[in-house]
Amino acid sequence: MSSDESKPLITPAHSFFSNRWSGAATLVVAGALQTLTFSPFYLWWLGPVSVLLVLLVTIPLAAKRLFAAGWLTGLGLFGSGASWVYISISEFGNTSLPVSVLLTAAFVAGLALFPALAFWFWSKLASNSAVRRLILFPAIWILGDWLRGWLLTGFPWLYLGTAHTDGPLAGLAPVIGVHGITFWVAASGAAIFAAGWLISRHRLISAGILVTATLIPWVTAPALNRIDWTDMSTEPVSVAAMQGNIPQLVKWDPEFLKDQIVAYLGMTEPYWDTDLILWPETAIPIPQDQAGKIIDHIKENLGDDSTLITGIPWYGVSARTGKFTYHNSITAIGNGNGIYHKQKLVPFGEYVPLEGVLRGLIGFFDLPMSSFTRGPENQGPLIANGSRVMPFICYEVAYPDFLARNAVNSDLLLTISNDGWFGDSVGPLQHLQIARMRALETGRYMIRGTNNGVTAIIDNKGQITSRIPQFERAVLTGEVFKASGSTPYMMTASWPVLTLALILIVFVRERVIPEN
């Protein structure tokens, strides 16, 4: 690096962005703007705007300062979009206010390290070349997202592409997935920056060509959304999903066990002959080996062609280890069969890293049912009245490639959750939007059952066909249709866009693009 690397490479249109403090504030605001692209705000057009603001600050910035720039961007994003974790720590973790704030701040600051590391890598690859930085930015952003969705079990939340369940790029989801959409959002922001730079140098034709090329996916994607990538059956499957709205503070209290089961049985009473009945995550809050009478009662009441699927913890001998273990599970009862054990566990919520050290320090590290074990890979779908139903429990629906891979041999998708941990925050609404993106990517109906909302039926285009409000005890009824075949994204997952990102990196490393 040159000795004068701290000098701007491109003079911004206004000195505001080059000032240390106003530039830092801009990065935090840019990150926060991304939260507004998601539910319940749906301002998807702020995605490219956010990227443009980031580039206005970082393109002229010294390479050695890009790590901090990435961290500030992440701080804005996760501080605004994921700080709902405070509710589970404070209200349900029996943790004092100062400790809850500290843990939430640590969570946000830790997540912000992912864009910080991505921007650091960006600085190493592009050095002080503005052109290289622009070309590499979409690739770096995507690789940072991918790493965040994988490392330490991953946090695949707040991907920019998810905002386009209701945006113009939705048609790309079955083809290139959420990471592919994110890539184009980032590329669009970079193209806007580059076009402005070209116009300032009176290179209008070049700017026009760049803008036209950038607009092509935005214009053509709506047409792609009209393509049916999978074949839908004509015979409907009737569905009844129970939203019990059991208060989180009593859900695991043994004294309230009978009341919970009676509530779900009472809600189900008029619907025993429905094709598929759904109870949410851990609706039966005792292990299956203790729930024999409950399961027998359900079997006795179900219609001959009906299946009830419910969340229920599983306790038994692991086929892998030969030891007794707990699983967060879902099982089919009645005219169906199968049990699925959750694979993607939530740190501290379902298992405690460094358990021997952290258990007992504060209430948050001793949450109910935080000793689950990860389920085995390559589990098959549940069978429900002849339908192959691939289940996903809560957090698992956020993993795009994981879900696409497991959806291949399924007719329907199903996800159960208990978002009561996050109260009246944006977290459960973001979770619903993520489920919608998974249905869109795979071209399959998805049934979503939750304890206190949002319970919904999502069609193969990612649109909600029916839902019931949060924080109400209610039953959702509707119809779904089975799908056959695979979308292009299901066959390739995110490998094409990740490969494109690596090609861009190699392209730059080979110095095809000059440094200045």
Side-chain angles (χ1 to χ4, degrees), residues 83-107:
S83 54
W84 36 257
V85 71
Y86 169 83
I87 297 173
S88 60
I89 297 173
S90 176
E91 294 187 18
F92 305 117
N94 299 317
T95 305
S96 66
L97 176 62
V99 175
S100 298
V101 171
L102 181 62
L103 288 176
T104 302
F107 174 73

Side-chain angles (χ1 to χ4, degrees), residues 77-340:
L77 172 60
F78 300 113
S80 62
S83 54
W84 36 257
V85 71
Y86 169 83
I87 297 173
S88 60
I89 297 173
S90 176
E91 294 187 18
F92 305 117
N94 299 317
T95 305
S96 66
L97 176 62
V99 175
S100 298
V101 171
L102 181 62
L103 288 176
T104 302
F107 174 73
V108 169
L111 287 175
L113 289 175
F114 285 101
L117 288 171
F119 278 38
W120 173 84
F121 189 46
W122 189 32
S123 74
K124 296 301 179 183
L125 290 172
S127 187
N128 285 329
S129 167
V131 177
R132 289 186 175 201
R133 288 189 186 183
L134 279 176
I135 293 174
L136 282 176
F137 183 80
I140 292 300
W141 191 275
I142 281 299
L143 292 175
D145 275 358
W146 177 82
L147 181 66
R148 174 161 59 87
W150 168 78
L151 189 64
L152 301 176
T153 73
F155 186 74
W157 213 269
L158 302 177
Y159 292 151
L160 271 174
T162 303
H164 282 266
T165 52
D166 302 282
L169 296 181
L172 297 178
V175 182
I176 57 177
V178 68
H179 287 314
I181 297 176
T182 300
F183 182 94
W184 200 253
V185 172
S188 298
I192 295 170
F193 182 100
W197 184 81
L198 290 169
I199 291 171
S200 70
R201 283 152 179 77
H202 307 291
R203 298 169 62 179
L204 301 183
I205 295 178
S206 297
I209 293 173
L210 179 61
V211 169
T212 300
T214 304
L215 286 175
I216 290 175
W218 293 86
V219 174
T220 58
L224 288 176
N225 203 30
R226 291 194 287 269
I227 297 176
D228 291 322
W229 298 99
T230 53
D231 296 321
M232 309 304 297
S233 67
T234 56
E235 183 177 351
V237 176
S238 60
V239 174
M242 315 299 153
Q243 183 172 289
N245 197 33
I246 307 297
Q248 193 62 33
L249 291 173
V250 304
K251 181 171 176 60
W252 298 103
D253 191 333
E255 295 184 6
F256 289 90
L257 171 62
K258 182 178 179 180
D259 292 340
Q260 294 182 55
I261 300 304
V262 168
Y264 278 111
L265 290 173
M267 295 170 68
T268 310
E269 186 65 33
Y271 304 100
W272 287 119
D273 291 322
T274 305
D275 292 334
L276 198 160
I277 302 166
L278 180 62
W279 291 6
E281 182 181 11
T282 58
I284 302 177
I286 54 175
Q288 95 294 339
D289 62 338
Q290 300 175 26
K293 291 183 178 180
I294 300 171
I295 295 173
D296 289 342
H297 181 81
I298 292 171
K299 289 179 178 179
E300 291 171 2
N301 285 274
L302 277 170
D304 292 339
D305 296 321
S306 301
T307 305
L308 188 145
I309 296 177
T310 181
I312 181 172
W314 185 91
Y315 181 69
V317 177
S318 169
R320 291 182 298 169
T321 65
K323 299 179 180 179
F324 281 95
T325 185
Y326 273 108
H327 291 297
N328 187 355
S329 304
I330 184 171
T331 190
I333 304 169
N335 186 30
N337 61 79
I339 186 166
Y340 172 84

Side-chain angles (χ1 to χ4, degrees), residues 445-494:
Y445 270 74
M446 178 177 288
I447 311 163
R448 186 172 193 262
T450 67
N451 173 44
N452 63 352
V454 179
T455 298
I457 293 176
I458 305 167
D459 70 14
N460 58 314
K461 298 296 184 181
Q463 299 302 307
I464 297 173
T465 62
S466 57
R467 62 186 288 177
I468 49 180
Q470 285 182 286
F471 313 116
E472 291 185 13
R473 179 168 293 181
V475 179
L476 174 71
T477 59
E479 294 179 339
V480 297
F481 295 86
K482 296 189 285 187
S484 59
S486 297
T487 64
Y489 175 68
M490 290 172 66
M491 294 184 283
T492 64
S494 296

Side-chain angles (χ1 to χ4, degrees), residues 309-314 326-332 337-345 372-383 389-397 399 402-403 405-407 414-416:
I309 296 177
T310 181
I312 181 172
W314 185 91
Y326 273 108
H327 291 297
N328 187 355
S329 304
I330 184 171
T331 190
N337 61 79
I339 186 166
Y340 172 84
H341 304 308
K342 186 177 182 182
Q343 300 178 57
K344 303 289 187 179
L345 301 181
F372 285 124
T373 302
R374 183 175 64 87
E377 297 180 358
N378 302 318
Q379 299 179 63
L382 305 177
I383 303 300
V389 181
M390 193 65 218
F392 302 92
I393 301 177
C394 191
Y395 193 56
E396 290 185 314
V397 80
Y399 293 82
F402 169 78
L403 188 141
R405 182 175 68 250
N406 284 278
L414 179 149
T415 179
I416 57 173

